[in-house]
Amino acid sequence: MAPGTVIIGASHAGIQCAATLRSKGYEAPITVISAETQLPYHRPPLSKGYMTGETSPENLALRSADFYTTERIDLRLGKKAARILRDKHQVVLSTGEKVDYKTLVLATGTRPRPWPGNDMPHGIHTLRTFNDAQSLRTRIAETSGPVVIIGGGYVGLELAATFRKDKQRDVTVIEAAPRILARAASSHLSNVLHHHHLSAGVQIHTGTGVTGFESHRGTVTGVRLTNGTVLDAAIVVMGIGVIPNQDLAEEAGLPCSNGIEVNAYCQTTDPDIFAIGDCSVFLMNGAALRLECVQNAHDQARVAASVITGEHQSYHPVPWFWSDQLGLKLQTAGLIPHSGTCVLRGNTEEGRCAFFHFDTLSTLTAIETVNQPALHMLARKILAANVSPTHEQAADPLFNLKHLL
Ligand SMILES: Cc1cc2nc3c(=O)[nH]c(=O)nc-3n(C[C@H](O)[C@H](O)[C@H](O)COP(=O)(O)OP(=O)(O)OC[C@H]3O[C@@H](n4cnc5c(N)ncnc54)[C@H](O)[C@@H]3O)c2cc1C
């Protein structure tokens, strides 16, 4: 049979692309190559329900095993793509096996940023994969000792929230930047969350770096901070960000810069090769953007599938993201401007509020909500429709924002 689409990476982006291709009537072969051995799974619960035990491994699956058979998707688990031979339209697996493609989709995601030092005793974890979550869960069950989380981003804070739930465990978050969530949220939202974590007993050190680790017989016992303090630690989790898996693309001569560069159709400079999800970087309003969220993985997958099936839909996202921490549902729609005005709707003390972000031209660019899921859904519609309330309308909880649509 003539070659069809080969997708490298079987996670949110890769599986959505395969599913959309079939739903659009694509009949050619689809092969999905996955370095991981598990049936493709939801990643967000790894730091939430799966870590607390509320979500079972079976409930993590993106699709049932039957789905791949029914949809004629050749899912090759535990296989790593090692090279792309663009001139031959082939992918070479680490086993030496070659897979022909007509169209190639790179959905290779990201991996945890490695610790820059060499002193890495046992007991230091990262969290990206099911196997990472499994080993962290096992270690947590083995010890009641203190946990130190390096990095106050979403994943680090979700873990802090999860580990602090039973109130027994000593949990500390170390953040080198002056505030938590410096990269992912406004200072207003990070302030709300900071105080919420403190009131739950999580200790947070901002503006503080880590210089190394203390260990006993090769196992971590402490974390050395830049201010000279040594924190006791039975478990350390490293959440210092991720780096895109772009090596395959780079070696194949495709332009990469903090991600595999793609156009509005998710195509690389080779029109037969697409890149989607966390591994891809694209231009939005003239700025390079690499999003790390499920929405982007799914939407880019749908765009790539539409182009492969000849529809040529382009990508104009309203990015959105969610996080659950210590009883707070945090949801962000849109992109927070570098400068502009932030308008508060509601009361931060009541645990239900929203921050409306306007750029310097008073155009609404993002809404961050706390425990307001209905407002978040509306925010996505308002941003997609490109309409802006006035600052007064945004601040007034009695003003019905639906009137703007
Ligand atoms: C703990 C955690 C919590 C999160 N919580 C949220 C959340 O609440 N909300 C949200 O929107 N997002 C969340 N995210 C982010 C979200 O999971 C990612 O945006 C999403 O997984 C991106 O999907 P992807 O398919 O692009 O890449 P990935 O999920 O990274 O998958 C890429 C896959 O490609 C495979 N691969 C890479 N190279 C090769 C190769 N050479 N050969 C074969 N296979 C290869 C990898 O092994 C991996 O399985 C969270 C992430 C983590 C880790």
Side-chain angles (χ1 to χ4, degrees):
M1 192 183 268
T5 296
V6 172
I7 300 170
I8 305 177
S11 182
H12 292 277
I15 297 307
Q16 183 64 52
C17 185
T20 310
L21 282 171
R22 284 292 183 241
S23 71
K24 286 181 178 294
Y26 184 80
E27 284 298 328
I30 299 176
T31 305
V32 185
I33 297 162
S34 173
E36 295 190 69
T37 51
Q38 294 80 13
L39 203 60
Y41 57 88
H42 289 274
R43 232 172 262 286
L46 296 183
S47 51
K48 309 178 183 76
Y50 184 69
M51 201 47 69
T52 58
E54 286 156 41
T55 307
S56 67
E58 298 73 47
N59 287 338
L60 287 179
L62 284 174
R63 309 271 177 162
S64 70
D66 290 350
F67 165 82
Y68 301 98
T69 319
T70 315
E71 297 296 329
R72 292 166 291 119
I73 294 167
D74 179 7
L75 179 61
R76 304 204 190 169
L77 299 177
K79 305 267 182 183
K80 193 166 183 342
R83 277 177 71 200
I84 302 166
L85 305 177
R86 283 170 59 194
D87 50 342
K88 294 184 176 157
H89 273 59
Q90 280 180 333
V91 174
V92 185
L93 306 188
S94 51
T95 52
E97 190 186 343
K98 291 182 177 145
V99 186
D100 294 326
Y101 68 81
K102 179 169 186 291
T103 307
L104 179 63
V105 180
L106 304 174
T108 49
T110 60
R111 60 183 181 275
R113 185 180 298 285
W115 172 247
N118 292 325
D119 58 332
M120 284 285 281
H122 180 69
I124 300 184
H125 296 255
T126 52
L127 179 58
R128 182 73 198 173
T129 64
F130 177 81
N131 289 344
D132 294 339
Q134 195 60 22
S135 72
L136 184 53
R137 259 178 68 155
T138 306
R139 184 74 188 122
I140 283 286
E142 283 169 358
T143 170
S144 57
V147 178
V148 175
I149 295 167
I150 304 174
Y154 272 116
V155 171
L157 291 168
E158 284 177 356
L159 284 176
T162 301
F163 297 150
R164 189 59 202 162
K165 246 185 173 172
D166 60 10
K167 307 264 188 252
Q168 302 302 323
R169 197 180 289 272
D170 187 350
V171 181
T172 305
V173 175
I174 311 295
E175 171 55 59
R179 64 175 175 91
I180 57 168
L181 291 180
R183 217 170 48 87
S186 71
S187 57
H188 308 274
L189 183 66
S190 79
N191 213 12
V192 169
L193 198 58
H194 190 121
H195 285 101
H196 197 67
H197 272 266
L198 290 185
S199 59
V202 175
Q203 295 168 61
I204 302 178
H205 298 263
T206 52
T208 310
V210 169
T211 56
F213 304 99
E214 305 274 309
S215 60
H216 178 66
R217 293 189 178 160
T219 298
V220 71
T221 56
V223 177
R224 287 196 298 270
L225 306 185
T226 43
N227 61 15
T229 311
V230 177
L231 296 176
D232 286 345
I235 303 173
V236 174
V237 187
M238 196 78 79
I240 55 172
V242 292
I243 49 177
N245 290 323
Q246 61 188 38
D247 325 42
L248 272 179
E250 257 172 345
E251 282 161 20
L254 300 170
C256 297
S257 47
N258 183 33
I260 306 166
E261 293 178 16
V262 295
N263 62 18
Y265 301 102
C266 300
Q267 270 164 323
T268 65
T269 49
D270 180 335
D272 292 335
I273 305 184
F274 293 72
I276 57 174
D278 280 19
C279 69
S280 80
V281 63
F282 57 95
L283 286 179
M284 194 161 118
N285 303 330
L289 202 59
R290 194 175 62 72
L291 296 171
E292 294 165 11
C293 58
V294 170
Q295 164 275 322
N296 177 64
H298 284 171
D299 288 351
Q300 284 197 314
R302 292 188 188 103
V303 168
S306 84
V307 179
I308 295 167
T309 52
E311 281 175 19
H312 281 80
Q313 204 184 89
S314 58
Y315 187 44
H316 303 286
V318 174
W320 57 266
F321 182 87
W322 79 96
S323 177
D324 297 317
Q325 297 176 38
L326 297 164
L328 296 186
K329 179 165 268 310
L330 311 166
Q331 291 169 296
T332 300
L335 294 172
I336 295 156
H338 293 298
S339 53
T341 311
C342 174
V343 174
L344 170 67
R345 186 181 179 99
N347 185 337
T348 54
E349 305 295 311
E350 287 167 7
R352 248 173 75 86
C353 62
F355 298 106
F356 284 59
H357 297 277
F358 296 88
D359 66 14
T360 47
L361 300 173
S362 275
T363 303
L364 182 73
T365 67
I367 302 180
E368 295 172 302
T369 55
V370 179
N371 285 342
Q372 301 239 52
L375 179 54
H376 168 74
M377 295 308 290
L378 189 55
R380 282 159 51 182
K381 289 187 187 150
I382 291 171
L383 289 162
N386 237 335
V387 290
S388 293
T390 63
H391 292 190
E392 292 71 28
Q393 289 168 339
D396 180 2
L398 297 177
F399 176 75
N400 189 347
L401 291 158
K402 282 187 190 155
H403 290 155
L404 298 172
L405 294 170

